[in-house]
Amino acid sequence: MSSRTLPLLFINLGGEMLYILDQRLRAQNIPPDKAKKVMNDIITTMFNKKFLEELFKPQELYSKKALRTVFDRLAHASIMRLNQASMDKLYDLMTMAFKYQVLLCPRPKDILLVSFNHMDAIKDFVKDTPSILGQVDETYRQLIEMYTALSSGEFQLIRQTLLIFFQDMHIRVSIFLKDKVQNSNGRFVLPTSGPVPHGTLVPCLIRMFSCSGEEVMRRQFSNGGNYTAALREGSFEIFGDRVTKLGTNMYSVSRPVETHMTGTSKNSAQHTKVNVAPNPLAKEELNMLAKLMGGLEVQKPGNADNGFRVNLFSTDEEEEEALISRPDDLLYGVINIQATKDQQANAELAKIMGQFAESGEQSPSSSSKGDDLLAMMDGL
Amino acid sequence: MYRKEKSIQIKNSASALYNNLGVLRIAPRRLTCFTAVHANVVNMVSASWDGLNYSHRQLQSKEPNVATSTSLIMQAAFCALPSRDLLVVTSQKGIQMYESDGSTMVYWHALDTPETNTGQGMFARGISAVCESFICVGVSTGAILVFDVPSKGSNITLADVIEGHKESITDMASECCGGEVCVADLVSADDGGNLCVWKAGEEFSLLNHIPGFDISCSSVKLWKGTAVAGYGTGQIRLYEAVTGILHAEVNAHARWIYSLDVAPFSGLLLSAAEDSLVRVWLLSMSPESHSVEIGHLHNECVTDTQICGAKFCDSDGYAFAVTGYDLSEIIRYTQS
C-alpha cells in the first residue's frame, strides 16, 4: 500500500481535532487568551520541524493504537487537560469526520483539497502569530512538493490505504445524523446525484466507432441516478479556492459535538482482531513518539494557575457515565511504553532528549524534563 | 432482469481494493466458492447450490518462516487452468498460491525489496491464468511475472518476467478460446491507463500497446479479441486488442470503476464502481462490421456502498455476486 499516507492522515485528523477543541473552548467560555494559547501550543507541536521531517518520510501507516497515542500527546501539548472519556470522544469524532471526508471525495486527488481546507483553517487560527505561521507555510510547501505530482492511481492507493485504516468504524456522530449524511446504523449516505467528479462525464452515453475512427452510433441509457456536470477544479496552490466543502469546519458553538455509543457494538461480532498491532516497542514508532514527547514543553497537570480541563460532554456526570459505558470493542488501548525496562530504547530516548536540549527548547531544567518523560511512561 | 437473492455473510468486511471478489464454480460438487479480501486476510466461503451449506475459511498473508510479519493483501483470485484450479493471493510481500479450497499453500514467491524506498511501496496486483499452464501476476514496478504451473504438485516455477509497463499493474485478463486459435492471449492494464496485449508461449511476446490518458485503468477483461477496460473516470472502453482500434466508449459510471467481468458464453458484461451502481451490458459482435457493439441492459444500486468487486457466478451470466467496502456480506443476484 502507499507509504505516503501518514502525512495526510495526521494533518487531516489534527485539523479536525483543532475544530473540535476550538468549539469546546468557546462553548466552555474559556478566556480568549488561554484558548488562544492552547490552540497555538498544539499547532506549534503539530508542525514542529523535526516531527514533520519524520512524518513526511515514506513509511507504512501507524497502527491505530500508535496513532491514538500520538494524538493523546498532541492534545496534551498545552495547559489544557482532557479526561479519558473526553479524549476517547474527541478521537471518535476526528476519525469519523475524516473517514466521511475520504469516502465522499469525488476523486482520490480531492483528498489533497480536503487537506488544504484543514491547512487553510489552521493558518487562520494562527494568523496573528508569525512564528507559527512560518511553520504552517513550510508544511504547505512540503504537501505541494510531495503530492501535486502524484498520478490518479497513486492517489487512489493512498485512499485505499486510508480506507483500510478506517475499516469497520461506524460510530454515530450527532452532527452527521442531524444533517442526514449518516444513517442510524452508522454508515454514511452516498448520494447517487449531484455533480460528477472533475474529469468524469455524466453517465448516460454510449458511443460506437468504425474501424476508421468515425462515430457510427450514439445511444443513451438511464443511469439510475440524478447527476449533473462536474464543478470547476479546486486549487492545489498555497492560496486558492478549494471548491469542495469537505474538510471545512462544520462545528460552531450552537452545534454541539456528540457521539452515540449505543448500537455500535452490533458490529463487534464481525470484528476479528485482524489488525494485529505491530510490536509497540518497534523502534521506528518509539522514536517518533519519543521525539514528539521530547519536543514538548511539559506542563505539570493540576497547576492551579494555568491548567484547566476541557470536557467534550455537556456535564461532568455525562463524561463519567461515558467512560463507564464505553463498549469493549471501542476501547482504544493507549500504548504504555516500558522505556525503563528496555535498555536500548532507554538509551535512544536519552540521546533524543539530549538533542532537543541542545536545540534550545529548554524547560526550566532539562533533567526534570527527562524525569517527566520517564514518569509519563508507566509500566504496564 | 435480475432479482436479489439471499446474501452470504462473510467473517470480515471487504476492503476497498480493485476487483475484490473471486468466484469459482465447482459443478461436480454443486458448490460455488467466493473470496473477499479484508486487509491482510482472505475470507473464503463455499456455498452449496441448494443454499443450505456454507463453510468459511480465512487465509492470512503471513509468509512462511517469518513469524510476526504480516502484510496487506492487494488481491485474491481463482485461476482456473485445464488441469487444476488454484487460488492466488498477492500482497505487499509476495505471491502465495493455494489449492482452490484454501487448504494448502503450494507456492510462495517473495517480491524483491527495492533499493530505494519509493513512495508507492512494493506490491503484487493483477492475476490471470493464461492458456494451458501459466499464471501471470503483475507487480507495482510494472513488471509481469509468468509462472509455469505443472498439472499437479508444487513444482511451480517462475518462467519469465515480462516488461511492457512502467507504472503499477492494476489488472490482467486472458481468454479461453476453446478450439479456436486466439491471437491475443493476455491483456494487462496499469495505473496510467495503458494496456499491453500479449501472446503466450515459451516466451511471451508483446502484440500491441494501447496508450492510456493518465487515468488509471482499474479493471480489464478480454472477450473475443476485444479488450474491455474500466477507468477511474467511470468510462468503459472497448478496444480491438491486437490493432488497438477503439470500437466503443461508454460514460458508464459517475465514480471510479472498481470491477469488470464478462460472461464468455453470452457476452454479458458487468461493471461496478464507487458510485454504488452495478450495471449489466451486452457485448455482441456485429456481423456486418465484425466489430464489437455494446448495449445497456440493467442497473442495480447497492445503497450507500462503494462497490469493490462484482463477478458473474457462471459463464452464461445467469447470476452475479457483489462485494462493497465495509460490507460483511456477498450480495447475490439471479436472472428473474
Side-chain angles (χ1 to χ4, degrees), chain A residues 48 185-186 203 269 333 368:
Chain A
N48 171 275
N185 62 4
S368 73

Side-chain angles (χ1 to χ4, degrees), chain B residues 197-210:
Chain B
V197 182
W198 308 87
K199 177 116 204 80
E202 280 281 319
E203 280 182 21
F204 276 54
S205 56
L206 182 67
L207 293 176
N208 195 14
H209 175 264
I210 302 172

